[in-house]
């Protein structure tokens, strides 16, 4: 479930950064249209991979339940981070992206 939650957080972070307000708060500067499209694609791909990871870990029944819980947990964590410290949200997303391969290997070996 760790991999699912990490990928959900990365996906939601990328989707939120594709909005100019959140991008300006977290990174500063203006959001280019090409970067906006790239962030949207990255966000949706990460969410699809999180669905796959959830189903892989728990099967169709429990995997979808765990995926729904991961969606809620990661969305709430991102909401709090974006409201409180937008740059912290960016740092957490980067850390989640770096930890995801370790969580994937751990899930695959279990």
């Amino acid at each position: 479930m760790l991999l699912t939650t990490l990928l959900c957080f990365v996906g939601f972070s990328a989707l939120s950064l594709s909005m100019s307000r959140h991008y300006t708060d977290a990174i500063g500067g203006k959001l280019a249209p090409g970067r906006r499209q790239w962030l949207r694609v990255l966000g949706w791909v990460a969410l699809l991979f999180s669905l796959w990871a959830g189903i892989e870990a728990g099967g169709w029944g429990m995997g979808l339940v765990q995926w729904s819980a991961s969606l809620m947990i990661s969305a709430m964590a991102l909401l709090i981070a974006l409201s409180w410290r937008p740059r912290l949200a960016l740092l957490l997303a980067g850390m989640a992206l770096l930890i995801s391969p370790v969580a994937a290997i751990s899930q695959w070996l279990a």
Side-chain angles (χ1 to χ4, degrees):
M1 186 161 158
L2 176 63
L3 177 62
T4 305
T5 306
L6 290 172
L7 289 174
C8 284
F9 190 82
V10 168
F12 281 142
S13 296
L15 287 174
S16 70
L17 285 174
S18 71
M19 295 190 277
S20 58
R21 177 174 183 247
H22 295 302
Y23 186 86
T24 303
D25 288 345
I27 297 175
K30 191 171 181 168
L31 179 61
R35 184 168 291 175
R36 174 183 310 221
Q37 188 67 21
W38 184 81
L39 285 168
R40 284 183 183 163
V41 169
L42 175 68
W44 285 110
V45 166
L47 287 175
L48 286 174
F49 274 131
S50 72
L51 174 62
W52 172 78
I55 292 171
E56 183 71 25
W60 279 99
M62 284 306 294
L64 289 175
V65 172
Q66 290 175 350
W67 182 66
S68 298
S70 294
L71 285 173
M72 289 184 285
I73 290 168
S74 60
M76 185 59 70
L78 183 64
L79 174 74
I80 292 169
L82 282 175
S83 298
W84 183 49
R85 303 239 188 230
R87 290 191 185 238
L88 178 65
L90 184 63
L91 177 68
L92 291 174
M95 288 174 46
L97 194 60
L98 290 174
I99 295 171
S100 292
V102 176
I105 292 170
S106 174
Q107 180 175 321
W108 181 63
L109 291 176

